Amino acid sequence: MRRLKRRLTFKEVDLIIAEWEEKLYQELFMPDPEKPFHFGEMLKSMLKIREVLIYQNNGLFLNLLENFISKMHIFGMHFATLDVRQESSVHEKVLKIINEREDIFPEDYDSLSEKEKIKILTHLKPVSKAAFADDMTEDTLASVRAVKTIQEKNGEAGCNRYIISQCNRARNVIEVYALFLLGGWKKDHLSLDIVPLFETVDDLHHAAAIMTTLYTNPDYRAHLKRRNETQTIMVGFSDGTKDGGYLMANWSIYKAKEELTRISKEHGIRVVFFDGRGGPPARGGGKTHRFYSSLGKNIANREIQLTVQGQTVSSNFGTVDSAQFNIEQLLHAGISNDLFSARKVTLTEEEEVLLSEMADISYQAYANLRDHDHFTEYLTEVSPLQFYGETNIGSRPTKRKNAGKLELKDLRAIPFVGAFSQLKQNVTGYYGVGSALQEMEKKGKWKQAKNLYRNSPYFKTLLDNSEMAMKKCFFPLTETFARHPKYGKIWRMIFNEFELTKKYIFKLNGKQELMQDYPIEQLSIQMRERIVLPLSTIQQYAIVKFRESEQSGSGMKKIYEKLIIRCSFGIINAARNSA
């Protein structure tokens, strides 16, 4: 505004700008509840100045003003929309604590059916604003009230979405609806989208049934009507691959989206998919534009939202040139999928049956590894997993529960995938794919698998991304563990599956080298790996010495710990997408 003021000194214009400069300053540093700031009025004033410049001043400095008006339209007064996110189990605990003080539920609530509980939750009244002794409850209610404050100050666009992690039943969504009623919101003025996040393979399989329950609930359906008949649904690639392995996770997401598109259309709801895609292929990243251009027309794609996580933000969007290139790629993916998709459906019925069979085989192979007695110990002892929290680079804690022994279900996907990435094993990017393809050959279905690879852009993209994950693997780094008395079997399982997957991918595509069709990306990975491998070698040495120091009580333990953490910084920054 001050830059505009220096240029736009014309009669009438100067007074308007001076007035809004003062109002902006007041709002930023000395806000007065008695004098609310109205963004809409400011926009009207800027459009009035635009007319004065065009009709009275020959359009002088019009480009500066129009640039400013564009920024107002894009960012409003909030710069970026804030999402609120919490795990479903927290909401359940908070409601129990509120009930202990406020008696919001009948005495037999726990024994009621799911349908009866949902009915009670949709008819709750606001609770008193007296503070709760429990921090979790107080924080949750404070978040509910904060959304209203943000909207009052910045408009609805400032914060209008609440995401529920680990959503595994319809009641999880209604519990958030109930918390907003308890926090003082009126049903008719609940200007918020409640977004279920389906992450695990089981949750993805049940997603359509969960949303059908919500669409047929009168109160939630009325809420959707007020939200322009639109439902945003988030799917988590990261937790999906951690839970079910690469092929099963991606296939479960595809099938969930297909079913959710169908049932949403049946109920007259426009579904918007919000994809929790990460940086590397193991977390749903990789060739993102190829993935979207391969989806066909049977999955809703009028609007797609996706997360861009870790260092991928800076590498893909950190400069004007890279941002323009990557945004154009994504736009092109949507347009080409809409205009040039040769099929009405992504996969034929026969192809779906084949892929489903491969996903099941792949899942079983991955489950055998994941459920091995020493799997979590292997990750903790051999990888830098336990030091992830110390690097202070994650958006969330390493695990969901801070106390007790590490359980795989409590471990967050980012450190899980990141730990394997720093081991140069990238398990969730390929594990089970080789076993699935081998089984197809044994069953006499190799020709069908080859036709699927040749004819389905979706399947080819999945395997292309798998090749990218494999290209970043380097097993000589940890080969010493092949003979380890406790972890040797796990290391050999991972290595054998890697070799098996590589063998069958080469058999499918007729190539002799991973990513042979993508020489530029191949070169990019090779350049990065030359930086990363020396750091990974030092880190592995430091981890081994750290374990020895733990057993011997050596005073070098702290030094090795620092070395492990410093190497993590370097590896993540060099690899760009391993976080």
Side-chain angles (χ1 to χ4, degrees), residues 20 52 67 81 93 95 99-100 129 147 153 155 162 205 279 288 315 322 380 401 416 472 489 492 500 550 578:
W20 281 106
V52 173
N67 189 355
T81 300
K93 289 172 190 169
L95 285 167
N99 182 52
E100 286 169 11
K129 291 189 177 180
V147 174
K153 297 283 286 179
Y162 196 113
H205 288 170
T288 306
S315 63
S322 64
T380 307
K401 294 175 185 172
F416 177 80
K472 297 174 184 175
K489 185 179 178 183
R492 290 191 299 275
L500 187 67
E550 273 189 319
S578 56

Side-chain angles (χ1 to χ4, degrees), residues 95-130:
L95 285 167
K96 282 182 180 176
I97 292 166
I98 293 173
N99 182 52
E100 286 169 11
R101 192 181 86 178
E102 303 278 341
D103 286 328
I104 58 173
F105 298 144
E107 286 186 12
D108 62 343
Y109 179 79
D110 288 338
S111 63
L112 296 176
S113 69
E114 193 77 355
K115 191 174 180 181
E116 289 169 320
K117 285 179 179 178
I118 286 174
K119 188 174 180 181
I120 290 166
L121 287 165
T122 54
H123 292 85
L124 296 180
K125 303 295 182 190
V127 294
S128 68
K129 291 189 177 180

Side-chain angles (χ1 to χ4, degrees), residues 31-32 78 83 92 97 101 106 178 233 245 273 304 313 335 427 463 511 553 559:
D32 184 350
H78 57 275
D83 286 345
E92 200 166 353
I97 292 166
R101 192 181 86 178
I233 298 173
F273 290 118
I304 292 170
V313 174
I335 294 166
V427 163
L463 293 195
K511 308 296 180 190
I559 294 169

Side-chain angles (χ1 to χ4, degrees), residues 450-464:
K450 203 160 186 175
N451 286 337
L452 179 65
Y453 180 79
R454 190 183 299 118
N455 299 326
S456 168
Y458 171 73
F459 185 60
K460 186 178 187 308
T461 301
L462 286 185
L463 293 195
D464 283 353

